Amino acid sequence: MTADVRLVRDLVATVDDREPLVVVIGDCILDRWTVGKAERVSREAPAPVVRVTETIAVPGGAANTAVNARALGARVRMVGLIGDDESGRVLRERLETAGVDTTYLVEVPGARTTTKSRVVGGDRVVVRVDELAATPDAHAGARLAGAVARAVRTADAAVVCDYDLGVQPEDVVPVLDRDRPSAVVVDAHDLTRWAALHPDLVTPNSGETAGLLGRDLGAGSARVPVVVDARDEVLARSGARAAVVTLDRDGTVLLERGADQAFRTRATPASEQQASGAGDTFCAAATVALAVRAPLRDAIAVAQAAADVVVREAGTSVCTAAALVESVTAPAATVVDHDDLATAVEAARAAGRRVVFTNGCFDVVHRGHTTYLRQARELGDLLVVALNDDDSVRRLKGPERPINTAEDRAGVLAALACVDLVTVFATDTPIPLIERLRPEVYVKGGDYSPEMLQETGVVRAYGGEVVMVDYVPEHSTTAVVRRIREAAAATAAAAAADAGTDGAAVDTAPATEPDPAP
């Protein structure tokens, strides 16, 4: 699932109305990005020489979670340890500029603030240099516990961000046990450290989940069934009521106690090699949603949409409420011409994404269509739907079709969460478009077999795969149109009878036989 327009709009409006208080507790990091052009290799060592054009410093780690939560409309208090050094001062200033309350930051005299500095040459990170804070002493831990106690009063939600850089469970868990907000989320490298807190939600990535289970999860989409099968073990070891495992380009899997089926979201992968902090954004958005008591699955869907926003940006980025709404309310950008489609498919393939292609008339979209499109989306990372134009529909279906214009049909398909790109074609078959795009998977729904399709030979010739997905009986477009006409005819006949006529002029015959295709 991907968050739909109404869900995102309603959540953003609720957050704006209630202004929930979110407390972020954890390891604060200052992210520095030094950006320039890498034009040659140094004579001193086999390393690129970067001519610097820009240096920026932004909140990272738990501090990035805090600024994302604030950008989404929550009131935010940041609790963490920083040094009394320049990096600490810059980090505090950046947080305050973003609107985060830094009253509860604990400044440790003589300590270093964790800083991660990246040098970017051209389009990639050349090197990252980490300056890590020392493990805090007992006095600093006691001060942190006091800050947590003050910050969580009247809070709607608390999120713990533990990157193994200083924040200790023994300083935080007893405080949250005494004064627990309605939602507690934990994002930690080692979730077992926080099991005693019994979080409402934990957000491990693939590597952290593998560490929690003590075994490899596999690669790509093959990780999904492994994670689903390990639900009870993940929840038991983390002590959590629910866990959402983030699987980068494969989206997320939500594990809930007692749920019959795991809930999934789909990611929108990006090729941006400089992107950082999407996990912080995901965690922030989920926490903000839970702070206004959104259902857990809605919170996860919105969090995925927020993470999709920032992976398209370079550096450590922030998803604002406005950007989140815009990302789900611009379906027109999904409808593209053939040239733009070819460019998008090429970029997706370069990023390692698997392209799925299907086509049809999609005149009156019904449950049969949506079922088969969801199944098609499961087969890859980018679903392209090619739509017959109005003239070709008339040639295929008869002069009374289409019911809806190509523009309307494209707009409806573009609004479906499972559809990534829509294009319109004028030929009777999509073969010319298939030959140009060469999708990895060609999908058809209905009661076809591959041997019935002209496209099968073309796809198999370049090494593609042809897949037939389930047919949903009694859900063809022609059947829907027939039922509408029959209902209209019955109504007209009844009206004619009431008026004393025989209704002989009413046409009750279906236009054509039911069609097995979209």
Side-chain angles (χ1 to χ4, degrees):
M1 175 184 173
T2 303
D4 61 27
V5 176
R6 178 176 294 182
L7 171 59
V8 170
R9 282 179 170 166
D10 286 351
L11 180 64
V12 168
T14 301
V15 172
D16 183 60
D17 181 55
R18 297 184 187 177
E19 292 187 312
L21 175 59
V22 172
V23 177
V24 180
I25 306 161
D27 296 318
C28 297
I29 300 170
L30 182 68
D31 278 349
R32 293 189 187 275
W33 295 83
T34 299
V35 181
K37 295 182 178 180
E39 299 174 333
R40 59 188 177 88
V41 176
S42 172
R43 291 192 296 269
E44 303 168 77
V49 175
V50 177
R51 181 159 55 87
V52 175
T53 58
E54 181 184 24
T55 298
I56 59 174
V58 295
N64 186 37
T65 301
V67 295
N68 271 276
R70 180 70 190 109
L72 290 168
R75 292 175 294 131
V76 180
R77 295 173 178 170
M78 180 73 244
V79 185
L81 302 172
I82 61 171
D84 60 351
D85 54 355
E86 179 189 1
S87 293
R89 290 188 289 274
V90 171
L91 179 55
R92 184 189 291 273
E93 184 271 329
R94 296 292 191 272
L95 286 167
E96 291 173 350
T97 299
V100 174
D101 185 351
T102 64
T103 305
Y104 306 93
L105 280 177
V106 175
E107 187 175 287
V108 181
R112 169 191 291 168
T113 301
T114 295
T115 305
K116 295 185 178 181
S117 302
R118 299 166 177 85
V119 178
V120 180
D123 64 349
R124 66 182 61 244
V125 175
V126 175
V127 66
R128 192 182 93 179
V129 179
D130 292 354
E131 301 173 77
L132 305 181
T135 302
D137 58 23
H139 179 64
R143 291 178 62 198
L144 181 71
V148 173
R150 295 192 303 275
V152 297
R153 293 169 187 162
T154 73
D156 296 291
V159 53
V160 176
C161 304
D162 173 18
Y163 307 103
D164 198 22
L165 295 173
V167 171
Q168 302 299 321
E170 55 267 28
D171 299 323
V172 178
V173 173
V175 179
L176 291 181
D177 280 343
R178 289 195 304 268
D179 195 1
R180 187 184 181 102
S182 61
V184 174
V185 178
V186 172
D187 179 21
H189 285 345
D190 181 1
L191 288 171
T192 61
R193 284 164 41 92
W194 300 91
L197 184 57
H198 297 295
D200 297 292
L201 178 68
V202 293
T203 63
N205 60 29
S206 179
E208 291 160 349
T209 304
L212 182 69
L213 297 173
R215 58 181 180 272
D216 185 60
L217 302 182
S221 59
R223 296 173 294 179
V224 174
V226 176
V227 169
V228 171
D229 289 344
R231 179 189 66 179
D232 292 344
E233 194 175 354
V234 169
L235 297 179
R237 295 194 178 193
S238 66
R241 295 178 173 85
V244 57
V245 180
T246 58
L247 300 172
D248 43 80
R249 70 175 59 249
D250 293 304
T252 71
V253 181
L254 176 62
L255 308 175
E256 304 168 272
R257 295 184 188 276
D260 293 334
Q261 256 187 332
F263 176 77
R264 286 199 64 190
T265 66
R266 303 290 173 184
T268 302
S271 60
E272 178 56 69
Q273 300 182 56
Q274 303 170 29
S276 177
D280 301 330
T281 302
F282 183 97
C283 185
T287 303
V288 171
L290 294 176
V292 294
R293 300 183 183 275
L296 181 57
R297 294 188 174 193
D298 288 353
I300 299 308
V302 170
Q304 180 67 72
D308 286 345
V309 170
V310 300
V311 296
R312 295 193 289 267
E313 304 294 332
T316 308
S317 300
V318 173
C319 177
T320 65
L324 178 59
V325 171
E326 182 182 358
S327 73
V328 296
T329 54
T334 305
V335 182
V336 295
D337 63 25
H338 292 188
D339 289 340
D340 288 344
L341 175 60
T343 300
V345 166
E346 182 180 352
R349 189 169 285 126
R353 302 174 70 185
R354 181 176 166 91
V355 178
V356 182
F357 181 101
T358 192
N359 66 281
C361 299
F362 297 96
D363 194 2
V364 178
V365 175
H366 49 68
R367 187 165 67 89
H369 290 143
T370 57
T371 298
Y372 124 69
L373 289 172
R374 284 197 301 270
Q375 292 173 344
R377 183 62 172 79
E378 295 277 349
L379 299 172
D381 304 304
L382 183 82
L383 176 60
V384 176
V385 179
L387 191 66
N388 291 80
D389 74 357
D390 294 344
D391 288 340
S392 66
V393 173
R394 278 189 283 271
R395 291 195 299 271
L396 292 169
K397 303 292 185 179
E400 295 183 345
R401 301 280 292 275
I403 303 298
N404 296 299
T405 66
E407 181 180 4
D408 289 342
R409 290 181 282 129
V412 170
L413 291 174
L416 296 178
C418 56
V419 175
D420 295 298
L421 294 168
V422 179
T423 196
V424 178
F425 67 97
T427 51
D428 289 343
T429 77
I431 287 176
L433 191 55
I434 290 173
E435 290 175 331
R436 180 175 183 182
L437 301 177
R438 300 169 68 89
E440 281 74 16
V441 185
Y442 176 66
V443 179
K444 286 297 285 185
D447 54 0
Y448 287 113
S449 68
E451 290 70 30
M452 296 168 63
L453 302 173
Q454 299 178 53
E455 297 85 354
T456 296
V458 175
V459 175
R460 289 177 174 170
Y462 65 74
E465 180 182 2
V466 178
V467 177
M468 315 312 296
V469 297
D470 295 340
Y471 173 57
V472 180
E474 298 303 321
H475 282 88
S476 72
T477 299
T478 302
V480 173
V481 172
R482 184 184 68 242
R483 288 196 295 272
I484 292 171
R485 285 176 171 161
E486 289 173 347
T491 301
D498 290 341
T501 68
D502 61 7
V506 176
D507 177 13
T508 61
T512 59
E513 290 302 310
D515 55 0

